[in-house]
Amino acid sequence: FIVSRILKWCLKGIRVDQKKLDILKKVADVAALAGIRGTVEKDREQFVSGFELPENRSQMVYVRPSAQDVEDSVVVTVFSPCHVFKKGLFKGITKEQAIELLMMNEQITFARYGMWESHDEHMIVASVDNILDTLDPPELRAAMWHVAIAADAYERKYGGDDF
């Protein structure tokens, strides 16, 4: 009985990973139809593509399955990192930068700024969510470009071109 439960749990994990890979394959197919070249990073469970921007700047844009679906629809998150702050005293984001980030959210369309957290740092990202079943090539192309431009705008403001 215990072995059976362990086997079911292991297989469930494999199915979840395969489901994510199937989602990413569909994203890659839509991207190809949109004229966007990229790759599926199986180990990181994401699709990645590079975008060339004016003034010799570039931005990496990623697509991954969202942690939350809407009803029975799969949601994917299109995102691009902007800046990384180390955690700790005098290392993180300032109150002024946080307020400015919120104000910048009001000025952009088709993207948002947010902060993701790991055990030792915060990462500011520009992102947007899309329902995969209704995501057509022009919509994916627009989402990826808007996120790349928003992330680059943040990097320009704070003197970087890290991503």
Side-chain angles (χ1 to χ4, degrees):
F1 176 73
I2 292 174
V3 172
S4 173
R5 287 183 67 187
I6 292 171
L7 183 58
K8 284 181 184 178
W9 181 78
C10 289
L11 290 175
K12 181 179 177 186
I14 290 170
R15 276 195 300 269
V16 169
D17 291 342
Q18 187 59 49
K19 180 181 177 187
K20 287 181 181 178
L21 291 178
D22 292 344
I23 290 168
L24 293 172
K25 170 74 170 95
K26 186 169 182 181
V27 167
D29 291 344
V30 174
L33 292 172
I36 296 171
R37 293 191 318 198
T39 58
V40 172
E41 295 179 341
K42 292 180 184 180
D43 56 329
R44 301 190 75 191
E45 296 178 336
Q46 61 191 11
F47 174 82
V48 61
S49 181
F51 285 76
E52 297 299 320
L53 300 168
E55 299 176 24
N56 292 324
R57 296 179 65 82
S58 62
Q59 200 68 35
M60 298 304 295
V61 177
Y62 304 87
V63 183
R64 69 176 183 194
S66 177
Q68 296 179 346
D69 291 338
V70 175
E71 296 177 5
D72 292 333
S73 299
V74 172
V75 176
V76 293
T77 300
V78 178
F79 69 98
S80 184
C82 306
H83 193 77
V84 174
F85 293 96
K86 294 289 182 190
K87 287 184 179 179
L89 191 59
F90 305 117
K91 294 181 183 177
I93 188 170
T94 67
K95 177 182 173 183
E96 291 78 20
Q97 287 171 320
I99 290 170
E100 186 174 16
L101 193 63
L102 287 172
M103 291 172 65
M104 289 171 68
N105 264 339
E106 282 298 312
Q107 298 169 6
I108 61 173
T109 53
F110 306 113
R112 66 176 178 267
Y113 293 108
M115 190 176 304
W116 295 354
E117 182 178 32
S118 70
H119 69 284
D120 63 344
E121 59 191 19
H122 290 106
M123 180 170 55
I124 295 177
V125 298
S127 66
V128 66
D129 297 315
N130 291 282
I131 295 175
L132 183 60
D133 291 339
T134 60
L135 187 61
D136 60 22
E139 186 178 11
L140 179 60
R141 183 175 45 254
M144 293 181 83
W145 274 107
H146 279 277
V147 165
I149 291 166
D152 187 61
Y154 186 91
E155 283 189 334
R156 279 179 185 268
K157 186 167 186 92
Y158 291 100
D161 191 13
D162 300 327
F163 301 98

